[in-house]
Amino acid sequence: WVTTEGGNGIRGGRVTEPSRVGNERAGAAALAALAGGKVEATDLIEFQSRGRVVIIGGNEALEFASRLQPPLRAQVLLTEGEELPGVPVIPQAGRTLRIDGHLGAFRLQLGEPGKPNAELLTADLILDLETEPRLGMPMKPPGYLCSGTDEPGLEQAAEQLRDLVGTFDKPRYFNYDASICAHGRSGQIACTRCIDACPAEAISSLIEKVTVDVHRCQGGGVCATVCPSGAIRYSYPQPRDTLEQVRLLLKTYRQAGGLNPVLVISADTDGAPPPLEPHLIPLEVEELASVGLETWLSALAYGAESVLLLDRGAMPERVGEAVKQQIGSAGEILAALGYPDSAVRLVDEQSLSADVEKAQVAITPANFSANGGKRQVAYMAIDHLFEQSTRARPMVNLTVGAPFGTAQVEADACTLCLACVGACPGRALLAGEDEPQLRFIEANCLQCGICTRTCPEDAIWITPRLLFDREERNRIRLLHREPPFCCSECGKPFATRSVIENMLKKLEGHWMFQDSKARHRLTLCEDCRVVDIVQDPQAMAQGVKGETLQ
């Protein structure tokens, strides 16, 4: 039996033995339905390794290199110790070392390029035997191995090296749409969430956009989870395939008579999940961090009473912090909707069974198809949870880092130059249609901060929050307006009053605008200004240039 409290969307209680048997059958039916699903194929990335190995270390590297047999061909980058006969050696000799590349295409730069002691090594594989690996990122590039110098460790390293000779393929794990990327605009860098979170350090800045090294990307997926716009999307599987799996699992479970479904998400790289209670429905994904806010909330909207993320300690620290930030945002949203803020949470194997007794979400399940972009899917789930709740607040203030929020403008400082409009990647900021205006659509705001960095007057600021009313969230809101400044000759509007006033003030001491004619010229539209210059012999004689307002 199950007890329900009040109609507030919260459920608690226990399941009897007959229900347990029914849940076992329903769970089996759900997993059987999932087994028949199809995942859309993706591109493959190819690696070619011919067995050229650079071993970084001291005397232990020299000894180990002599043991390797073809097709492996070893060269030692000697950090300390003396050379041995018969082993190709490059002494580091106090030179700096920079390592780039990946399996089949490593580059090791010794010394400063262009200097007499500089040297460039190339390799297919790198074995690092130092106590502190030269590459410190949590997820090393494919083909970069680290090993202890004890005999079991060296034997394992030799086997791994042999297995990495040949031609290999891996999926292309991501898709990137630079047109909606919030990383940078107009030379200003704002959002760096994917760069900061990537454990492979495969993402770097190109100022206006980011670039992802497809060979170093290993499918951690946290970049897609933290991306506020969906510019980076996980592509194997596609987000819609994962969400369809979630919908199918929960729908089949319910139709088969199952009660109290709880979705347990785990990484298939961690191995099969432990034995679960019958109402705990497992979903294995490539990496635990590859699914985020929109997936968790959609699972609750589809009828899961909780979403448990099974953490077995394999996530790098920076990835774990990014996931916890997303879970925090989910908790803030759920609490404001009147549901338990712990309905989405990280658990370990020891607490998995005991943890499910916490209060859970109980609503009429949604059946929407998650074919839209990341934000559209999140809003569909949030809207359904809002409609089902009887205790929802109209708005929730969120912690900094959340991908939803508002923008405000200091009217006295804003000149309506509209630099923020041109920079906004989410099209949340809009210009006026018939008069100087700055307008705003809150549903589109990514909270990336590009507008605040672009504004020359520091007149705009952003605040993370979420409006639950769909119409209010999508309404075009006026942030600032001004009457237009009209040309003092023809009367045509061509700028805002504050722009002209600021221009006149800033140019008061400029030598080109000391006479009244030159200052008056600033109050003319482009056409009238040209006519005025041509008709002024003094201006023509001085070769006045660049007076046209930009």
Side-chain angles (χ1 to χ4, degrees):
W1 53 272
V2 177
T3 61
T4 302
E5 300 178 6
N8 56 5
I10 301 175
R11 175 177 289 170
R14 63 183 180 86
V15 179
T16 62
E17 191 60 31
S19 295
R20 180 184 181 88
V21 174
N23 286 346
E24 288 177 349
R25 293 173 181 167
L31 294 178
L34 189 64
K38 295 182 180 179
V39 176
E40 185 175 327
T42 186
D43 297 337
L44 295 176
I45 307 300
E46 183 179 275
F47 298 86
Q48 288 188 341
S49 169
R50 296 175 176 83
R52 299 171 301 155
V53 186
V54 167
I55 305 173
I56 303 174
N59 292 329
E60 67 281 353
L62 293 169
E63 181 183 351
F64 181 72
S66 64
R67 295 162 50 180
L68 295 181
Q69 302 295 318
L72 295 173
R73 303 185 304 281
Q75 185 176 34
V76 174
L77 176 57
L78 193 63
T79 57
E80 59 183 1
E82 299 181 359
E83 302 180 22
L84 290 179
V87 179
V89 171
I90 302 292
Q92 185 173 357
R95 293 176 290 181
T96 58
L97 173 62
R98 177 188 173 100
I99 301 174
D100 297 304
H102 49 81
L103 175 64
F106 282 108
R107 292 164 53 91
L108 297 89
Q109 178 67 56
L110 286 163
E112 187 177 344
K115 294 296 179 67
N117 69 341
E119 194 169 358
L120 179 65
L121 308 180
T122 59
D124 298 308
L125 300 158
I126 294 177
L127 176 62
D128 193 335
L129 297 181
E130 296 198 284
T131 304
E132 291 291 332
R134 292 301 180 102
L135 293 184
M137 71 278 291
M139 193 175 286
K140 307 293 190 287
Y144 186 98
L145 307 180
C146 302
S147 172
T149 56
D150 60 310
E151 189 58 29
L154 292 174
E155 284 293 335
Q156 183 181 18
E159 183 178 352
Q160 289 176 313
L161 289 170
R162 287 192 295 269
D163 290 341
L164 288 173
V165 178
T167 301
F168 306 92
D169 293 327
K170 75 174 182 68
R172 181 185 179 94
Y173 288 107
F174 70 93
N175 286 320
Y176 175 58
D177 183 355
S179 68
I180 59 173
C181 178
H183 175 61
R185 289 287 195 281
S186 305
Q188 299 289 330
I189 292 178
C191 178
T192 60
R193 296 174 191 177
C194 60
I195 296 174
D196 298 337
C198 179
E201 296 183 7
I203 309 175
S204 55
S205 171
L206 295 179
I207 306 300
E208 297 290 317
K209 60 182 179 179
V210 300
T211 181
V212 184
D213 187 332
V214 297
H215 291 92
R216 294 183 71 154
C217 172
Q218 298 175 59
V222 68
C223 57
T225 295
V226 301
C227 178
S229 67
I232 288 186
R233 294 186 299 111
Y234 211 70
S235 66
Y236 188 72
Q238 296 277 352
R240 64 173 178 269
D241 292 334
T242 299
L243 285 162
E244 178 58 24
Q245 289 179 331
V246 172
R247 190 183 69 85
L248 183 62
L249 273 173
L250 294 167
K251 181 179 180 180
T252 305
Y253 180 86
R254 291 195 311 274
Q255 290 178 340
L259 300 173
N260 309 108
V262 172
L263 187 67
V264 179
I265 303 177
S266 63
D268 59 14
T269 52
D270 293 341
L276 301 175
E277 290 294 315
H279 67 298
L280 301 184
I281 307 173
L283 174 68
E284 292 186 54
V285 295
E286 184 79 16
E287 296 286 347
L288 193 59
S290 66
V291 293
L293 189 73
E294 71 281 2
T295 301
W296 310 331
L297 296 181
S298 292
L300 296 175
Y302 286 147
E305 295 192 346
S306 293
V307 176
L308 306 182
L309 308 175
L310 181 55
D311 179 16
R312 302 186 191 181
M315 285 191 297
E317 183 179 357
R318 69 178 70 176
V319 175
E321 289 302 315
V323 171
K324 289 174 183 176
Q325 192 278 327
Q326 291 270 308
I327 291 174
S329 294
E332 291 172 339
I333 292 170
L334 290 169
L337 287 169
Y339 303 114
D341 61 1
S342 60
V344 177
R345 57 194 182 275
L346 278 172
V347 297
D348 56 27
E349 289 191 30
Q350 288 70 35
S351 63
L352 184 57
S353 296
D355 202 72
V356 300
E357 298 302 324
K358 291 184 178 181
Q360 300 165 343
V361 174
I363 62 172
T364 301
N367 197 35
F368 58 80
S369 178
N371 286 325
K374 174 176 182 169
R375 294 178 69 82
Q376 288 75 20
V377 170
Y379 281 138
M380 283 192 286
I382 291 168
D383 289 344
H384 182 78
L385 293 169
F386 176 68
E387 291 164 2
Q388 291 286 307
S389 175
T390 60
R391 303 194 310 170
R393 304 200 301 265
M395 183 198 76
V396 57
N397 292 314
L398 300 172
T399 302
V400 173
F404 312 108
T406 188
Q408 294 169 282
V409 166
E410 176 58 53
D412 292 340
C414 178
T415 62
L416 285 176
C417 69
L418 302 182
C420 56
V421 173
C424 181
R427 297 179 176 83
L429 293 166
L430 308 171
E433 295 177 351
D434 300 320
E435 61 178 308
Q437 290 182 346
L438 179 61
R439 302 179 298 162
F440 178 68
I441 302 176
E442 186 154 334
N444 294 349
C445 182
L446 308 174
Q447 291 290 287
C448 64
I450 285 182
C451 57
T452 65
R453 289 166 173 80
T454 303
C455 179
E457 312 297 342
D458 292 327
I460 190 167
W461 70 96
I462 56 175
T463 305
R465 72 176 192 182
L466 178 60
L467 297 177
F468 293 123
D469 186 296
R470 184 191 303 114
E471 291 186 5
E472 181 65 19
R473 193 171 63 226
N474 288 290
R475 182 175 65 86
I476 298 177
R477 189 165 78 237
L478 181 66
L479 294 183
H480 184 46
R481 69 190 301 175
E482 281 191 29
F485 187 92
C486 299
C487 175
S488 41
E489 288 292 337
C490 69
K492 181 178 74 174
F494 71 98
T496 64
R497 183 168 300 280
S498 59
V499 165
I500 300 302
E501 289 174 351
N502 284 351
M503 182 76 68
L504 290 168
K505 183 176 181 179
K506 290 179 180 180
L507 294 176
E508 279 180 355
H510 197 282
W511 66 271
M512 291 179 63
F513 297 94
Q514 293 305 300
D515 65 89
S516 59
K517 288 184 179 180
R519 289 195 296 273
H520 173 72
R521 200 169 290 130
L522 293 175
T523 67
L524 304 180
C525 68
E526 294 180 3
D527 296 335
C528 293
R529 193 176 307 124
V530 171
V531 172
D532 188 74
I533 291 173
V534 172
Q535 293 178 348
D536 185 346
Q538 182 179 358
M540 293 296 291
Q542 292 177 346
V544 176
K545 298 179 180 180
E547 289 187 25
T548 305
L549 286 176
Q550 300 300 317

